[in-house]
C-alpha cells in the first residue's frame, strides 16, 4: 500500500486475534492497521473455508459473462451484476444506479428551457436522461481500463479458438490524490490528507486455452477449471526473494568488536523504505525503484503542457517536496490499476510561484490527459548510484537494474539483496522499517543474525474462472454457486405435540403428589 505508514506489523503466522489498546500509551497507525488486518484475515479465511476458493450466492451470483460480437463495432463482453467471492474477497459487479438531477424551474412542464422541445414521450415519461446500462462491459468495467486502441487489450477471436474469461482480483491503496472526496476540506488546503483507503480491484480479462495447456477445442468444464487452477497457482506465488540490512563490515562476524562507527543505519529520521519492482521479468530485464516514505509522496496534477506539469501543491515541507534531480512517476488511476511500468522521469526545473515542474521528457501518450482519472506525480528517492566495486549504478528507464546475489546500497547504510533465480512482477514490493534508536532495520534474521530472504509483501493476486467463451454460440459458465445456510424451522407433527402434552401432565401430577405428601400430619404418614 502506497500510504504514509510507520510500519506494517500484521503477520498471520503469529496467530494474534486482536489488538488490545492500553491506557495512557501512545497510539500508532500500525496498531490500528493491524487490527483491521486481523479482522480481514479472519473474515476472508472463514469465507474461503465455507465457500471454497471462489463462488457466488446461487440467487445473486455476479459476473455472468455474455459475449457480444462486433459485426459493426469491436467485440465486447457483458459483465452482469451480482456478488462473487474470490479467496474470501467480496467482488461486487452491480452497476451503480444513475442519480436523477433536479429539473430546472422553468422545465416543470416537460419543455426544455433552451430549445423549447418536449422531453416527454407519448406516455408522459421523461426521455431527457438516457437509461443507464444494467451491466458493465469489457471496455467500461470500473477498474479494467481496457483501451480499444491497444491490440493487446482486444478480446481474442472466438472464431479461431475459444478463450476463458477470468477474474483478476487484488487490492491497492487510494489516497486523496486519486480520490479528492477523501480530503476533508474543512481542514484547509495547507493541511495534509488524513487516512487512505484500501480498494478491491477486480478485472475481467481473457486467457487463451493455449496458455492453460489445453489443446482440444471442446474441453469439459472440469478440464478447464483444473487447468486454470494450475495456471493461477503459478501467477499467485512470486519466486522473487529479498533481504535487507544496515551495512556492516565484512569481517564483523569474525570479530564483533571491530565494528566501524558508520556500520549502521545513519539516517536522521525513522523511515519506512519501500523497494518495488518497476519493470518485471527475469533478473537481466527487471528494474526496481525505492522510496524512503513508502512511496506515499504524491502530487496531484492540475495541468500538463508538454514537459511542464502544474501541480495542486509542491509539498508541505522540505521533506515531502520536490527538488531538481528527483525521479518521479507521472501516472493516473488507470495506469495504477493496469500495473504497467511507465518511464521514471527526472525533475529538471522548478517554478515555485507557479507550482510547476519541468520534467526530463514528455509523459507517455494517453497517460494523465483525462482529469477524471486524477493524474498525479509519485516521487521516488533513488538516483544514479555511487561508484561501488568498480562500477556505477546506471539507471534504465529511470529505475535501478536488479542485480542478484550481491548487496545493493540504497542510502544511509541500508542495503538490499535479491536472491538468484527470481522472476519479478511489476508492483511486487518489500517494506523495510529503519529506526534511529537501534541504528538498524527491522528484518527477520536467523540465530547468527543473518538476514532471511523474504517473498514480496504484496501485491497478492487472486484469480477465478468465469466462462469459456465460444463466440456467437454462447459461453460455458464456469462459476460456482452456493445456497444460503438458513432454512425453514419445521413445524412439529401431531404425535410430537401429543407426547409433549402428556409429558407436561405427568410432570404436573408428580409435583401435586409431592406437595400433598409434604403437607400431611405426622400421624397420618
Amino acid at each position: 500500500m502506497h500510504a504514509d505508514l510507520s510500519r506494517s506489523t500484521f503477520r498471520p503466522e503469529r496467530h494474534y486475534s486482536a489488538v488490545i489498546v492500553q491506557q495512557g500509551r501512545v497510539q500508532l497507525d500500525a496498531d490500528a492497521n493491524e487490527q483491521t488486518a486481523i479482522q480481514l484475515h479472519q473474515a476472508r479465511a472463514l469465507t474461503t473455508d465455507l465457500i471454497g476458493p471462489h463462488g457466488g450466492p446461487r440467487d445473486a451470483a455476479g459476473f455472468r459473462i455474455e459475449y457480444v460480437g462486433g459485426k459493426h463495432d469491436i467485440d465486447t463482453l457483458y459483465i452482469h451484476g451480482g456478488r462473487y467471492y474470490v479467496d474470501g474477497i467480496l467482488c461486487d459487479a452491480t452497476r451503480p444506479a444513475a442519480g436523477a438531477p433536479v429539473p430546472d424551474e422553468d422545465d416543470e412542464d416537460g419543455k426544455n428551457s433552451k430549445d423549447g422541445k418536449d422531453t416527454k414521450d407519448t406516455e408522459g415519461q421523461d426521455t431527457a436522461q438516457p437509461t443507464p446500462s444494467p451491466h458493465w462491459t469489457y471496455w467500461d468495467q470500473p477498474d479494467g481500463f481496457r483501451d480499444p486502441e491497444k491490440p493487446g487489450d482486444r478480446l481474442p477471436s472466438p472464431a479461431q479458438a475459444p478463450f476463458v474469461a477470468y477474474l483478476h482480483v487484488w487490492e491497492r491503496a487510494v489516497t486523496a490524490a486519486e480520490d479528492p472526496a477523501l480530503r476533508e476540506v474543512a481542514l484547509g488546503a495547507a493541511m495534509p490528507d488524513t487516512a487512505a483507503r484500501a480498494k478491491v480491484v477486480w478485472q475481467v480479462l481473457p486467457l487463451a486455452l493455449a496458455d492453460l495447456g489445453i489443446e482440444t477445442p471442446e474441453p469439459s468444464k472440469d478440464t478447464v477449471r483444473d487447468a486454470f487452477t494450475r495456471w493461477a497457482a503459478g501467477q499467485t506465488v512470486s519466486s522473487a526473494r529479498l533481504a535487507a540490512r544496515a551495512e556492516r563490515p565484512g569481517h564483523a562476524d569474525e570479530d564483533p568488536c571491530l565494528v566501524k562507527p558508520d556500520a549502521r543505519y545513519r539516517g536522521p529520521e525513522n523511515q519506512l523504505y519501500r523497494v518495488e519492482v518497476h519493470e518485471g521479468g527475469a533478473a537481466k530485464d527487471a528494474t526496481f525503484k525505492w522510496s524512503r516514505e513508502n512511496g506515499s509522496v504524491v502530487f496531484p496534477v492540475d495541468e500538463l503542457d508538454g514537459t511542464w506539469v502544474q501541480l495542486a501543491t509542491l509539498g508541505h515541507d522540505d521533506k515531502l517536496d520536490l527538488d531538481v534531480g528527483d525521479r518521479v512517476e507521472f501516472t493516473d488511476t488507470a495506469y495504477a490499476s493496469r500495473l504497467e511500468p511507465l518511464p521514471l522521469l527526472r525533475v529538471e526545473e522548478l517554478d515555485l510561484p507557479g507550482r510547476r515542474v519541468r520534467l526530463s521528457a514528455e509523459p507517455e501518450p494517453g497517460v494523465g490527459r483525462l482529469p477524471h482519472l486524477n493524474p498525479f506525480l509519485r516521487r521516488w528517492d533513488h538516483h544514479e548510484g555511487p561508484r561501488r566495486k568498480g562500477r556505477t549504478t546506471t539507471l534504465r528507464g529511470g529505475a535501478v537494474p536488479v542485480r542478484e546475489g550481491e548487496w545493493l546500497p540504497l542510502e544511509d547504510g541500508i542495503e538490499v539483496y535479491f536472491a538468484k533465480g527470481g522472476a519479478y512482477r511489476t508492483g511486487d514490493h518489500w517494506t523495510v522499517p529503519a529506526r534511529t534508536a537501534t541504528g538498524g532495520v527491522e528484518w527477520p534474521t536467523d540465530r547468527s543474525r543473518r538476514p532471511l530472504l523474504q517473498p514480496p509483501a504484496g501485491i497478492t493476486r487472486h484469480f477465478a474462472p468465469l466462462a469459456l467463451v465460444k463466440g456467437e454460440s454462447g459461453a460455458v459458465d464456469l462459476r460456482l454457486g452456493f445456497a444460503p445456510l438458513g432454512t425453514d424451522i419445521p413445524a412439529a407433527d401431531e404425535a410430537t405435540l401429543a407426547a409433549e402434552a402428556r409429558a407436561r401432565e405427568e410432570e404436573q401430577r408428580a409435583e401435586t403428589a409431592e406437595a400433598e405428601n409434604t403437607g400431611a400430619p405426622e400421624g397420618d404418614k
Side-chain angles (χ1 to χ4, degrees):
M1 298 290 180
H2 297 100
D4 187 11
L5 308 176
S6 60
R7 58 177 181 158
S8 177
T9 58
F10 173 67
R11 302 291 184 271
E13 64 272 12
R14 294 175 180 171
H15 307 296
Y16 293 150
S17 59
V19 174
I20 301 175
V21 178
Q22 301 184 84
Q23 63 176 347
R25 306 309 202 269
V26 175
Q27 299 301 309
L28 300 176
D29 61 287
D31 298 325
N33 292 336
E34 182 170 353
Q35 178 62 56
T36 301
I38 289 173
Q39 291 175 311
L40 274 177
H41 175 73
Q42 292 174 340
R44 289 172 177 175
L46 175 62
T47 303
T48 302
D49 290 341
L50 295 177
I51 296 175
H54 60 89
R58 188 164 297 167
D59 298 329
F63 297 93
R64 180 173 67 85
I65 299 300
E66 181 181 352
Y67 173 78
V68 180
K71 294 181 180 179
H72 305 290
D73 202 352
I74 196 166
D75 293 0
T76 189
L77 300 173
Y78 286 169
I79 306 168
H80 292 270
R83 299 182 302 281
Y84 207 69
Y85 295 86
V86 181
D87 292 334
I89 301 174
L90 170 62
C91 304
D92 196 336
T94 304
R95 188 157 192 160
V102 176
D104 295 335
E105 293 182 0
D106 54 354
D107 195 32
E108 296 293 342
D109 57 354
K111 296 289 186 179
N112 187 293
S113 59
K114 293 183 179 180
D115 54 19
K117 294 182 181 180
D118 195 351
T119 61
K120 293 185 177 181
D121 58 19
T122 56
E123 297 180 356
Q125 298 295 322
D126 191 353
T127 59
Q129 296 295 323
T131 302
S133 173
H135 47 67
W136 298 105
T137 72
Y138 174 75
W139 297 108
D140 70 1
Q141 52 182 306
D143 297 308
F145 298 106
R146 302 292 97 184
D147 187 353
E149 300 299 324
K150 294 185 176 182
D153 283 358
R154 296 177 185 173
L155 293 171
S157 173
Q160 299 176 357
F163 65 88
V164 174
Y166 71 95
L167 197 57
H168 177 207
V169 181
W170 54 288
E171 288 182 291
R172 70 181 187 91
V174 177
T175 65
E178 291 184 76
D179 186 359
L182 297 181
R183 181 181 294 277
E184 174 52 75
V185 296
L187 297 177
M191 294 293 291
D193 59 352
T194 54
R197 302 293 188 274
K199 179 179 181 180
V200 173
V201 175
W202 61 259
Q203 299 164 329
V204 175
L205 303 174
L207 183 66
L209 289 182
D211 294 332
L212 297 177
I214 298 177
E215 299 180 357
T216 174
E218 295 292 336
S220 65
K221 282 187 177 183
D222 291 339
T223 299
V224 175
R225 285 174 178 152
D226 292 343
F228 186 88
T229 299
R230 293 191 296 271
W231 174 85
Q235 302 297 314
T236 302
V237 180
S238 173
S239 62
R241 296 292 183 271
L242 178 137
R245 72 178 185 185
E247 181 185 3
R248 298 188 303 165
H251 57 275
D253 289 334
E254 288 77 15
D255 191 349
C257 295
L258 298 178
V259 179
K260 295 186 298 183
D262 63 348
R264 64 195 307 274
Y265 169 56
R266 301 182 293 275
E269 297 182 0
N270 299 318
Q271 302 288 1
L272 181 63
Y273 285 86
R274 181 187 188 92
V275 179
E276 181 173 319
V277 176
H278 185 66
E279 182 82 33
K284 62 182 180 63
D285 303 316
T287 60
F288 72 96
K289 52 202 175 186
W290 61 263
S291 163
R292 67 179 70 94
E293 305 286 348
N294 192 34
S296 64
V297 181
V298 295
F299 305 87
V301 171
D302 285 343
E303 185 180 0
L304 174 65
D305 183 11
T307 59
W308 281 97
V309 181
Q310 184 169 4
L311 306 176
T313 176
L314 283 174
H316 298 286
D317 54 41
D318 57 358
K319 177 185 173 184
L320 304 175
D321 63 1
L322 286 173
D323 293 318
V324 173
D326 284 345
R327 290 285 169 175
V328 294
E329 185 177 8
F330 184 90
T331 186
D332 56 24
T333 300
Y335 270 81
S337 295
R338 288 178 64 95
L339 291 177
E340 294 181 358
L342 294 168
L344 300 179
L345 306 176
R346 186 178 185 272
V347 175
E348 300 289 348
E349 186 177 350
L350 294 176
D351 174 15
L352 298 180
R355 300 195 315 274
R356 299 193 308 160
V357 298
R358 183 171 65 86
L359 304 179
S360 56
E362 186 173 350
E364 291 286 290
V367 181
R369 270 67 173 184
L370 300 177
H372 72 275
L373 292 180
N374 299 309
F376 61 93
L377 289 181
R378 188 185 303 279
R379 191 192 77 187
W380 296 95
D381 297 318
H382 59 272
H383 296 85
E384 296 279 356
R387 190 173 186 82
R388 188 171 185 267
K389 294 185 178 180
R391 62 173 182 266
T392 59
T393 300
T394 302
L395 303 184
R396 188 167 68 233
V400 184
V402 168
R403 296 202 305 270
E404 295 181 331
E406 61 179 286
W407 287 100
L408 307 176
L410 301 187
E411 68 173 6
D412 293 331
I414 304 298
E415 295 183 331
V416 296
Y417 180 99
F418 290 97
K420 293 182 178 181
Y424 301 88
R425 303 179 303 185
T426 297
D428 284 352
H429 62 272
W430 297 260
T431 56
V432 185
R435 297 294 180 257
T436 59
T438 62
V441 298
E442 294 183 359
W443 192 266
T445 61
D446 64 6
R447 293 183 178 180
S448 301
R449 294 188 300 172
R450 293 178 300 180
L452 299 177
L453 295 166
Q454 297 291 299
I459 300 170
T460 304
R461 295 160 169 84
H462 310 268
F463 304 91
L466 297 176
L468 177 63
V469 180
K470 297 184 176 181
E472 300 296 341
S473 60
V476 178
D477 200 339
L478 298 176
R479 298 173 301 161
L480 300 176
F482 58 88
L485 295 177
T487 58
D488 290 336
I489 297 176
D493 55 21
E494 294 184 1
T496 303
L497 294 175
E500 291 177 351
R502 287 195 298 271
R504 285 195 297 270
E505 290 176 358
E506 292 174 359
E507 219 174 330
Q508 291 175 356
R509 284 198 296 268
E511 291 174 356
T512 302
E514 184 179 357
E516 290 176 349
N517 292 334
T518 302
E522 186 69 25
D524 295 339
K525 291 184 180 179

